[in-house]
Amino acid sequence: MDAPLIIVGAGHAGGRAALTLREEGYSGRLILIGDEPHVPYERPPLSKGLLQGSQDLAGCSLCDSTRLAELGIEHLAGNAVSRLAPLQHRLQLADGQWLPYHG
């Protein structure tokens, strides 16, 4: 099995990168890793609409977990990357798990 393409950081940029890869035809295994417990969201609406009470967190999300699953994007939430081993093309998550990545 080929090593997955891993995007570290599941914020706006990371989420948009994962979605764009699928939109552009990337069909390989794709993992999106973030230390936050929720799906990627757009920060400008969050900082304005959510704080003003005019929008909830779901309204700021780039997509929901169902859509990520439909696109075959594995979202590892609430588990930050703690260590990189670039020569071995591996990274370690905060929970101690090591993952290989495409190099």
Side-chain angles (χ1 to χ4, degrees), residues 10-12 36 38 40-48 60:
H12 183 91
E36 296 179 327
H38 40 73
Y41 59 88
E42 298 183 77
R43 294 200 188 321
L46 176 69
S47 64
K48 294 175 181 62
C60 299

Side-chain angles (χ1 to χ4, degrees), residues 11-60:
H12 183 91
R16 193 55 72 195
L19 294 171
T20 300
L21 280 164
R22 288 298 190 230
E23 289 167 5
E24 294 296 320
Y26 180 77
S27 61
R29 187 171 175 209
L30 181 56
I31 301 175
L32 179 62
I33 300 174
D35 61 348
E36 296 179 327
H38 40 73
V39 296
Y41 59 88
E42 298 183 77
R43 294 200 188 321
L46 176 69
S47 64
K48 294 175 181 62
L50 188 68
L51 295 176
Q52 293 171 349
S54 61
Q55 194 169 21
D56 63 3
L57 184 58
C60 299

Side-chain angles (χ1 to χ4, degrees), residues 1 8 13 16 23 36 38 45 68 72 80 97 101:
M1 174 184 256
V8 177
R16 193 55 72 195
E23 289 167 5
E36 296 179 327
H38 40 73
L68 289 174
Q97 178 184 5
Y101 62 84

